[in-house]
């Protein structure tokens, strides 16, 4: 990554930490920010030691949305391609082989809420705020809000949030199931790291297979999803990590799994 990139990427053993880093504009997602995020995701994908990712924001926002200044003068064709690019970047994040925890430290509005939804699950600071305020700007959500939000919280709540554009606090986000847990601002990253460490201590091939089939099964009829699981279960036995994990249990020792 460039030194002046809008996304900071650091690695700590099995953890890769992605920090959206455009604090003067509340980490708003311009074309450039999205391109930097794409680069970070590509680097993580190629780093075999990474078993888990935490994504957070620098300053008082997680991400306050797509860049309104950059969008105002777009024509319909350019708008479509901006939306498609955002979708492409978020899909690559969603499809990373290791889990991604969104640690939402502040505003997660519009594209910020959508970015958090492209992560596997969300931890929030008590200061976090969520919403899809796009209709107030005369547009629809463009990076997945009309699709991923309903899959996460149910269509009723999603429709209400999208049609009203209202902003909800962390407690409400917890109540509707948008976030898994809420922490004091100073505890958020420690808690995300604890969960990340727990994930990183599991069999990485197994975790990656779980993520793959949970993603692919979403929205499919149950028998189709279950068929994906049968296949994944068999594939888990192709890895030496299966024998390592089971032998360690039977020998009452701790498994050493290696990389994903
Ligand atoms: N796009 C572009 N710039 C943005 C932005 C966005 N989505 N969100 C914030 N910014 C910029 C502001 O324009 C301001 O820039 P400036 O200092 O050059 O004027 C800077 O970030 C700080 O934001 P500011 O509005 O002064 O902070 P605040 O604490 O008073 O308000 C928010 C915070 C999040 C309530 C407010 O910034 C906001 O409503 N942002 C837009 C949210 C939105 O509609 N997102 C969906 C976009 S599709």
């Amino acid at each position: 990554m460039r030194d002046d990139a809008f996304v900071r990427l650091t690695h700590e053993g099995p953890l890769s930490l992605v920090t959206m880093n455009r604090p003067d504009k509340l980490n708003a997602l311009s074309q450039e920010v999205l391109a930097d995020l794409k680069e970070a995701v590509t680097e993580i994908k190629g780093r075999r030691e990474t078993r888990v990712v935490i994504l957070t924001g620098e300053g008082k926002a997680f991400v306050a949305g797509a860049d309104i200044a950059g969008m105002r003068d777009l024509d319909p064709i350019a708008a479509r391609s901006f939306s498609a690019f955002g979708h492409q970047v978020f899909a690559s994040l969603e499809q990373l082989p290791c889990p991604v925890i969104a640690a939402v430290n502040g505003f997660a509005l519009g594209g910020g809420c959508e970015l958090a939804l492209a992560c596997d699950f969300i931890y929030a600071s008590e200061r976090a705020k969520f919403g899809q305020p796009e209709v107030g700007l005369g547009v629809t959500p463009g990076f997945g809000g009309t699709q991923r939000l309903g899959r996460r919280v149910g269509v009723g709540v999603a429709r209400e949030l999208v049609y009203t554009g209202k902003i909800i606090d962390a407690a409400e986000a917890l109540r509707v199931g948008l976030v898994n847990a809420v922490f004091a601002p100073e505890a958020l990253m420690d808690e995300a790291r604890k969960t990340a460490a727990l994930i990183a201590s599991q069999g990485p091939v197994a975790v990656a297979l779980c993520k793959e089939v949970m993603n692919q099964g979403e929205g499919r009829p149950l028998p189709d999803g279950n068929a994906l699981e049968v296949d994944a279960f068999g594939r888990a036995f192709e890895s030496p990590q299966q024998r390592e994990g089971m032998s360690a249990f039977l020998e009452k020792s701790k498994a050493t799994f290696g990389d994903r």
Side-chain angles (χ1 to χ4, degrees), residues 24-26 28 60 64-69 71 107 109-110 133-134 137:
D24 57 323
K25 297 290 180 190
L26 305 189
K60 72 175 180 182
D67 189 324
I68 300 168
M71 288 190 294
F107 294 110
L109 304 178
E134 289 89 344
L137 298 164

Side-chain angles (χ1 to χ4, degrees), residues 106-190:
F107 294 110
L109 304 178
C113 189
E114 292 165 311
L115 178 60
L117 287 165
C119 300
D120 285 273
F121 57 88
I122 304 172
Y123 280 180
S125 141
E126 285 162 354
R127 290 202 191 113
K129 304 256 191 254
F130 297 84
Q132 298 289 158
E134 289 89 344
V135 287
L137 298 164
V139 296
T140 68
F143 299 156
T146 63
Q147 305 302 313
R148 287 196 185 89
L149 184 58
R151 286 169 163 83
R152 188 71 56 96
V153 302
V155 289
V157 171
R159 284 167 193 257
E160 184 179 344
L161 289 172
V162 169
Y163 300 160
T164 61
K166 75 177 174 187
I167 309 297
I168 59 172
D169 63 15
E172 180 68 358
L174 181 65
R175 195 186 67 76
V176 300
L178 176 56
V179 309
N180 283 19
V182 179
F183 302 104
E186 60 280 7
L188 174 66
M189 288 308 289
D190 282 350

Side-chain angles (χ1 to χ4, degrees), residues 1-257:
M1 304 286 309
R2 303 183 324 274
D3 284 348
D4 63 344
F6 293 116
V7 174
R8 215 167 46 233
L9 174 59
T10 54
H11 306 292
E12 302 165 17
L15 169 68
S16 290
L17 179 61
V18 179
T19 308
M20 305 307 291
N21 189 27
R22 193 192 180 199
D24 57 323
K25 297 290 180 190
L26 305 189
N27 303 324
L29 300 171
S30 62
Q31 186 86 22
E32 294 73 25
V33 177
L34 288 171
D36 286 345
L37 179 59
K38 183 179 174 182
E39 194 180 325
V41 170
T42 304
E43 183 174 324
I44 292 167
K45 203 170 162 190
R47 185 176 181 269
R48 293 182 60 80
E49 308 93 286
T50 297
R51 296 188 188 186
V52 61
V53 177
I54 298 175
L55 194 155
T56 192
E58 181 65 43
K60 72 175 180 182
F62 176 70
V63 164
D67 189 324
I68 300 168
M71 288 190 294
R72 189 185 58 180
D73 298 327
L74 296 181
D75 63 28
I77 292 173
R80 190 180 281 259
S81 97
F82 183 56
S83 171
F85 183 52
H87 270 284
Q88 185 202 103
V89 176
F90 285 18
S92 68
L93 175 71
E94 188 171 54
Q95 287 157 19
L96 272 174
C98 51
V100 182
I101 304 171
V104 175
N105 50 304
F107 294 110
L109 304 178
C113 189
E114 292 165 311
L115 178 60
L117 287 165
C119 300
D120 285 273
F121 57 88
I122 304 172
Y123 280 180
S125 141
E126 285 162 354
R127 290 202 191 113
K129 304 256 191 254
F130 297 84
Q132 298 289 158
E134 289 89 344
V135 287
L137 298 164
V139 296
T140 68
F143 299 156
T146 63
Q147 305 302 313
R148 287 196 185 89
L149 184 58
R151 286 169 163 83
R152 188 71 56 96
V153 302
V155 289
V157 171
R159 284 167 193 257
E160 184 179 344
L161 289 172
V162 169
Y163 300 160
T164 61
K166 75 177 174 187
I167 309 297
I168 59 172
D169 63 15
E172 180 68 358
L174 181 65
R175 195 186 67 76
V176 300
L178 176 56
V179 309
N180 283 19
V182 179
F183 302 104
E186 60 280 7
L188 174 66
M189 288 308 289
D190 282 350
E191 294 294 337
R193 281 173 191 279
K194 270 190 223 161
T195 300
L198 193 55
I199 291 170
S201 70
Q202 311 302 316
V205 169
V207 172
L209 285 166
C210 290
K211 175 164 177 171
E212 183 186 312
V213 289
M214 289 174 97
N215 271 354
Q216 288 181 1
E218 205 167 355
R220 293 205 196 185
L222 185 61
D224 294 359
N226 284 342
L228 292 171
E229 187 181 275
V230 169
D231 182 54
F233 190 74
R235 284 164 62 203
F237 283 72
E238 290 170 11
S239 164
Q241 292 177 14
Q242 168 266 325
R243 187 160 279 273
E244 169 64 20
M246 292 189 175
S247 298
F249 174 81
L250 294 171
E251 290 157 14
K252 303 188 189 311
S253 63
K254 194 171 171 335
T256 312
F257 286 115

